[in-house]
Amino acid sequence: MKKDKCCTGCGVKLQNDDENLLGYVDDLSKKLCERCFKLINYGVYQGVNSEVIDYQKIFKEIKKTNSLIVYVIDILNIPSDIDKIIKSLGNKWILVLNKRDLLPLSVKDDKIKKYFNDMNLGYLDIEVISTNKNINMDNLINKIYKYSNKKDVYVIGYTNAGKSSLINKMIKNYGDNDCCLTISNIPSTTLDSIKIKINDQLSIIDTPGLIDSGNIINYVNSKMYKKLNSKKEIKPKTFRIKRGESLIIDDIIRINYLSYNDNSFTFYIPNDFNVKRVSKKNDILININKKIINIDSDCDLVIKGLGFIKIVKKCRIEVFIDNKIDIFVRNNLI
Ligand SMILES: Nc1nc2c(ncn2[C@@H]2O[C@H](COP(=O)(O)OP(=O)(O)OP(=O)(O)O)[C@@H](O)[C@H]2O)c(=O)[nH]1
Ligand SMILES: [Mg+2]
């Protein structure tokens, strides 16, 4: 049986029947689908409905192979239920925290690793990397060689974690071919699994990212994609706060401070987001969905897809935010 030809950038099956459908090429000898071509050459992105992605098929295949999994997480966007997808697969895995370049260099990798080691998630190993800045990539590849019992290794994770960027960097650093996967700021860039031969020892399979329904990226306009996917190290912004004061992030989120004690809030969010203090009398954003949250000392308030706020003392806050965006509390990451 003849194998379908797929786009080398996103994995979608190529077709020349309907230009309104995914995978269209005017000439089937081309390697890239029109969507990837326009994205790479003109920065034009055609949004896709994630329903076109057959996760079940891909996950079934991963489970069957029993291959090593590299599970990539964006360090600014750590899911509250980290091991949920991994548990459902049962394969051996390495946890990779990507986008290390976004956190200040003063934060030690060992501290980040300890945070995850203390959770006893059951991974074989952990690495903190930056694919963009080429940080700890040699450590990661050595761990992959050490634990992979077969040549094939799967890369999985949520959308935008940097899976395709990681594989492109591996090709560049350790590969003997010139493949290039499509990457972008926007969710669901990769549409199907793509096998890439890195070298004679190793082949890596890229997979489409899982959709994170509570992530702010799903509910903002395209201008905001770039702002959310900042490439610059975060400059934390610290605010002393007391009862009756409010903090506002870019007219998207309002936090009213309800406790009697003074406190300190440090924002680890992309630098282009503005944080300002307003008084109780200012009624901006008070008509959107409200949540009251009790926070213990030394915890982070995570705003999914945006970043987190490090909070020093136990307190009670009122958060006004679109109810589709998830927020949750965890122990301090850093
Ligand atoms: N700051 C920073 N950004 C990164 C890093 N790695 C990837 N990115 C950015 O993250 C965004 C998503 O990258 P992709 O490689 O397309 O992510 P993906 O996980 O393959 O996404 P899907 O294919 O949608 O699942 C892009 O804007 C990348 O430039 C990194 O190490 N640091
Ligand atoms: Mg991808």
Side-chain angles (χ1 to χ4, degrees), residues 36-49:
C36 282
F37 183 82
K38 284 186 178 161
L39 208 160
I40 293 165
N41 293 293
Y42 311 117
V44 178
Y45 181 87
Q46 182 194 340
V48 296
N49 181 340

Side-chain angles (χ1 to χ4, degrees), residues 164 182 190 206:
S164 306
T182 306
T190 306
D206 192 12

Side-chain angles (χ1 to χ4, degrees), residues 9 160 162-165 181-184 188-191 206-209:
N160 264 5
K163 301 178 293 300
S164 306
S165 304
L181 298 166
T182 306
I183 63 169
S184 84
S188 296
T189 305
T190 306
L191 296 178
D206 192 12
T207 62

Side-chain angles (χ1 to χ4, degrees), residues 19-284:
E19 57 186 303
N20 297 314
L21 294 180
L22 286 169
Y24 180 76
V25 273
D26 55 4
D27 174 353
L28 278 171
S29 66
K30 289 186 175 167
K31 286 183 172 178
L32 280 183
C33 70
E34 200 162 77
R35 172 175 165 268
C36 282
F37 183 82
K38 284 186 178 161
L39 208 160
I40 293 165
N41 293 293
Y42 311 117
V44 178
Y45 181 87
Q46 182 194 340
V48 296
N49 181 340
S50 60
E51 281 169 20
V52 302
I53 300 172
D54 192 349
Y55 293 107
Q56 265 197 339
K57 179 198 84 179
I58 297 164
F59 276 60
K60 229 167 125 177
E61 174 193 315
I62 299 178
K63 217 170 166 169
K64 210 169 66 190
T65 60
N66 209 19
S67 297
L68 178 72
I69 290 176
V70 172
Y71 177 20
V72 183
I73 291 180
D74 172 346
I75 208 155
L76 259 204
N77 197 12
I78 300 164
S80 51
D81 46 4
I82 298 176
D83 53 351
K84 193 171 142 201
I85 54 169
I86 285 290
K87 271 192 182 148
S88 68
L89 288 167
N91 301 46
K92 296 213 161 44
W93 58 293
I94 298 177
L95 179 60
V96 172
L97 298 148
N98 186 31
K99 310 196 186 180
R100 199 263 167 267
D101 54 295
L102 295 178
L103 290 183
L105 270 176
S106 55
V107 177
K108 296 278 169 276
D109 288 358
D110 282 347
K111 187 165 186 199
I112 300 171
K113 287 184 191 169
K114 183 176 181 315
Y115 183 88
F116 291 91
N117 287 341
D118 288 348
M119 287 185 197
N120 289 319
L121 295 166
Y123 45 72
L124 295 172
D125 218 321
I126 180 170
E127 199 49 71
V128 183
I129 66 161
S130 163
T131 58
N132 280 11
K133 295 274 159 70
N134 215 4
I135 300 173
N136 293 335
M137 292 296 293
D138 288 353
N139 291 351
L140 176 61
I141 195 91
N142 286 332
K143 287 177 180 172
I144 292 175
Y145 286 142
K146 179 174 168 192
Y147 295 112
S148 54
N149 48 357
K150 296 181 188 159
K151 274 189 195 168
D152 291 357
V153 171
Y154 283 82
V155 174
I156 70 162
Y158 285 94
T159 179
N160 264 5
K163 301 178 293 300
S164 306
S165 304
L166 166 65
I167 299 170
N168 279 350
K169 188 60 87 183
M170 285 190 166
I171 300 169
K172 193 160 176 250
N173 288 357
Y174 318 107
D176 45 27
N177 72 58
D178 59 357
C179 303
C180 191
L181 298 166
T182 306
I183 63 169
S184 84
N185 282 331
I186 296 153
S188 296
T189 305
T190 306
L191 296 178
D192 207 337
S193 46
I194 313 174
K195 186 167 176 168
I196 304 282
K197 182 179 174 238
I198 303 288
N199 52 39
D200 289 339
Q201 259 176 294
L202 179 68
S203 289
I204 302 246
I205 296 132
D206 192 12
T207 62
L210 293 152
I211 301 298
D212 203 1
S213 57
N215 193 312
I216 192 168
I217 204 154
N218 301 313
Y219 310 109
V220 293
N221 59 31
S222 53
K223 264 195 202 155
M224 197 78 108
Y225 291 142
K226 203 166 168 204
K227 212 163 147 174
L228 284 168
N229 277 290
S230 163
K231 304 281 180 283
K232 295 209 183 95
E233 179 185 312
I234 288 176
K235 294 196 178 72
K237 300 180 184 87
T238 299
F239 288 80
R240 302 279 320 161
I241 186 160
K242 55 179 191 282
R243 187 173 166 83
E245 286 182 338
S246 303
L247 295 169
I248 290 180
I249 309 176
D250 248 31
D251 297 352
I252 310 174
I253 298 154
R254 176 188 180 117
I255 299 171
N256 285 352
Y257 191 71
L258 304 179
S259 290
Y260 285 94
N261 57 337
D262 290 3
N263 213 331
S264 164
F265 283 24
T266 303
F267 289 73
Y268 289 84
I269 58 175
N271 299 338
D272 289 346
F273 284 87
N274 180 37
V275 186
K276 64 180 182 211
R277 193 194 308 265
V278 294
S279 76
K280 211 175 175 177
K281 288 183 203 123
N282 183 322
D283 63 359
I284 186 166

